[in-house]
Amino acid sequence: MFKLNSKYFAKYFVSGVLAMLLGLSLAGCGKQEEKPTTGEAPRSAASPPGGTNVSSPATASAPSAPSASALATADGERSGTRVEITELKRSSDNTLTLKLVMVNDSDKGIGFGYDFGDKANEIKDYGSIGGVNLIDSAGKKKYFVVRDTENNCVCSRGVKDIPPASRANLWAKFPAPPDDLQKISVVIPHFGPLDDVPISR
């Protein structure tokens, strides 16, 4: 009786051990850790597809801060557009040189075309900033962009549209105001007026 039980016991014990080993082996094969490809960090369950360096829309479209060196800034009529005056300097040829940056943080391009030209010179001013003016309120005088013998503005011309999330450096020359005038207003179409911009030498 004892021998019979031990035979059965040995038979079932060996079968059970084999079954358990086979089960563990299959479980191990079925749950292999996914190996990352070269140069790619392993992904956690919370990571988005494509890795962890995906910026959120809020970060990607956040407006840029005005430059610390800007003499004056003004927002545009369209939200997300801005202009920064970077220089307004007297030149030796009795002119005043204006340098500015037009910033487009909006979701649409800034079209140039005729938008920034002088209405009196609309055809010539296509794609230029010929419509920018300087205004001396105290002296009650308005200064227009200097023009050459062919009536072309002495300013940024042939300017392409400014796409979203980009900027353009622009310039224009004006007749120099009297030497004692130290500040002047800059008027750029479709932007707020920039008052009391300092004139340097």
Side-chain angles (χ1 to χ4, degrees):
M1 189 80 174
F2 177 76
K3 288 181 180 178
L4 184 62
N5 282 341
S6 62
K7 277 184 183 179
Y8 279 108
F9 174 72
K11 182 180 177 182
Y12 285 114
F13 177 78
V14 171
S15 299
V17 169
L18 287 174
M20 188 167 51
L21 288 174
L22 183 61
L24 287 173
S25 175
L26 289 173
C29 289
K31 195 172 181 180
Q32 282 187 334
E33 185 178 340
E34 184 182 340
K35 299 277 185 186
T37 57
T38 305
E40 181 182 352
R43 292 181 193 159
S44 67
S47 296
T52 56
N53 294 331
V54 178
S55 58
S56 67
T59 303
S61 61
S64 59
S67 171
S69 60
L71 301 175
T73 64
D75 292 329
E77 293 170 353
R78 187 201 305 163
S79 177
T81 59
R82 182 176 76 251
V83 71
E84 299 176 2
I85 304 298
T86 56
E87 185 177 281
L88 187 57
K89 188 175 181 180
R90 292 182 188 273
S91 302
S92 57
D93 60 353
N94 203 33
T95 60
L96 202 63
T97 302
L98 169 70
K99 292 183 181 178
L100 60 96
V101 179
M102 200 170 285
V103 181
N104 184 11
D105 285 331
S106 73
D107 57 356
K108 295 179 182 177
I110 296 177
F112 261 75
Y114 298 104
D115 285 356
F116 299 97
D118 179 15
K119 296 302 179 190
N121 297 282
E122 194 169 52
I123 303 302
K124 289 278 188 181
D125 279 3
Y126 183 85
S128 80
I129 59 167
V132 177
N133 299 308
L134 304 181
I135 297 178
D136 172 14
S137 300
K140 297 181 180 178
K141 192 165 183 181
K142 186 176 186 178
Y143 296 86
F144 296 90
V145 175
V146 172
R147 295 191 176 268
D148 64 17
T149 55
E150 295 179 0
N151 211 32
N152 295 311
C153 75
V154 182
C155 66
S156 293
R157 297 172 57 210
V159 181
K160 305 295 182 187
D161 293 354
I162 305 173
S166 58
R167 54 180 60 207
N169 296 315
L170 307 167
W171 65 275
K173 276 191 173 281
F174 297 87
D179 282 347
D180 60 349
L181 189 67
Q182 296 180 356
K183 292 182 179 181
I184 201 164
S185 296
V186 180
V187 178
I188 301 169
H190 310 294
F191 289 88
L194 299 109
D195 296 324
D196 299 324
V197 179
I199 300 170
S200 63
R201 293 186 177 273

